[in-house]
Amino acid sequence: KQEVTQIPAALSVPEGENLVLNCSFTDSAIYNLQWFRQDPGKGLTSLLLIQSSQREQTSGRLNASLDKSSGRSTLYIAASQPGDSATYLCAVRDNTDKLIFGTGTRLQVFP
Amino acid sequence: ETGVTQSPTHLIKTRGQQVTLRCSSQSGHNTVSWYQQALGQGPQFIFQYYREEENGRGNFPPRFSGLQFPNYSSELNVNALELDDSALYLCASSLDQAGELFFGEGSRLTVL
């Protein structure tokens, strides 16, 4: 059974720091992995999608990497801003098309 | 291009009642999936519809059922509501069964 874990559960950093959020999964037989952002009480906003054949994806200040063999993905946020404060969720899509989410990392960036 | 829209945004029901939640998929998307998100938890997969057929289901009892219509919009029905059904229900659409997901803002259900 696929399990997805995110570490740390919460993170508080000063504005301007570069930071790394971690996502690990137990079964490497995934189709793709997607990172999302969720603001309190809101829906999810897609940040990056990495196909199983890819190693990384970049969008602006965000970079996500995928190491399928070790069951890990990282989301790198450069030059963090207060507007980046949110919960970040990773989700893996298994080969039956189910999407399995981690419990998220709650990020606070203070001025 | 309109995004994924869900209705209602908030609703309150009592135990034992039934509820229907609605979702309009993003233009051009033929796949819709539903998720339940309890407070402080990640979303849990309920089921997915592709071209009006259910093609995947998570660990939810049969009282959670759904439909997808020819225009690819979808409904989630929950019968015999229980207190633990209180959650944010999220709908997502994608271009195909394994594509990038785009979520709506969710329907917040409270069961008293």
Side-chain angles (χ1 to χ4, degrees):
Chain A
K1 178 189 170 188
Q2 177 76 270
E3 293 182 3
V4 181
T5 306
Q6 291 187 247
I7 294 173
L11 187 60
S12 183
V13 299
E15 181 176 8
E17 274 205 6
N18 302 323
L19 46 99
V20 174
L21 308 182
N22 296 293
C23 172
S24 60
F25 46 95
T26 53
D27 186 346
S28 62
I30 66 168
Y31 192 84
N32 58 37
L33 182 147
Q34 196 167 353
W35 282 93
F36 297 89
R37 166 193 173 131
Q38 186 174 32
D39 293 292
K42 300 291 188 180
L44 279 63
T45 300
S46 177
L47 298 174
L48 290 163
L49 171 72
I50 310 177
Q51 301 293 347
S52 62
S53 58
Q54 296 176 317
R55 297 284 292 183
E56 66 177 335
Q57 282 284 346
T58 299
S59 176
R61 294 183 294 109
L62 305 179
N63 176 277
S65 67
L66 174 64
D67 184 343
K68 249 181 51 168
S69 60
S70 67
R72 294 176 63 180
S73 176
T74 60
L75 179 67
Y76 176 83
I77 303 176
S80 57
Q81 302 170 358
D84 294 331
S85 299
T87 296
Y88 290 80
L89 293 153
C90 73
V92 300
R93 190 184 287 278
D94 67 15
N95 290 336
T96 66
D97 291 337
K98 287 184 188 173
L99 200 68
I100 298 138
F101 281 85
T103 51
T105 293
R106 192 171 67 253
L107 172 66
Q108 182 181 16
V109 181
F110 53 91
Chain B
E1 178 183 288
T2 55
V4 179
T5 58
Q6 293 187 241
S7 63
T9 55
H10 295 83
L11 68 167
I12 299 173
K13 294 284 188 178
T14 56
R15 198 169 51 180
Q17 285 189 311
Q18 178 265 343
V19 68
T20 297
L21 308 178
R22 294 178 176 83
C23 171
S24 293
S25 58
Q26 188 163 314
S27 178
H29 287 190
N30 59 24
T31 304
V32 171
S33 51
W34 287 90
Y35 302 82
Q36 180 195 67
Q37 187 178 26
L39 207 59
Q41 301 294 314
Q44 298 291 315
F45 175 73
I46 303 175
F47 42 56
Q48 177 169 281
Y49 280 84
Y50 170 69
R51 294 185 180 272
E52 304 179 60
E53 297 283 333
E54 184 183 298
N55 76 334
R57 189 177 182 93
N59 294 326
F60 281 82
R63 59 190 185 84
F64 286 78
S65 63
L67 281 174
Q68 188 179 29
F69 300 100
N71 66 355
Y72 302 133
S73 66
S74 178
E75 287 183 354
L76 165 64
N77 298 290
V78 187
N79 293 322
L81 284 167
E82 301 177 359
L83 298 180
D84 284 349
D85 295 334
S86 296
L88 180 68
Y89 287 84
L90 295 162
C91 168
S93 73
S94 55
L95 273 174
D96 54 44
Q97 296 173 77
E100 184 176 7
L101 289 184
F102 296 89
F103 279 80
E105 290 296 313
S107 294
R108 171 77 61 189
L109 171 65
T110 301
V111 182
L112 303 176

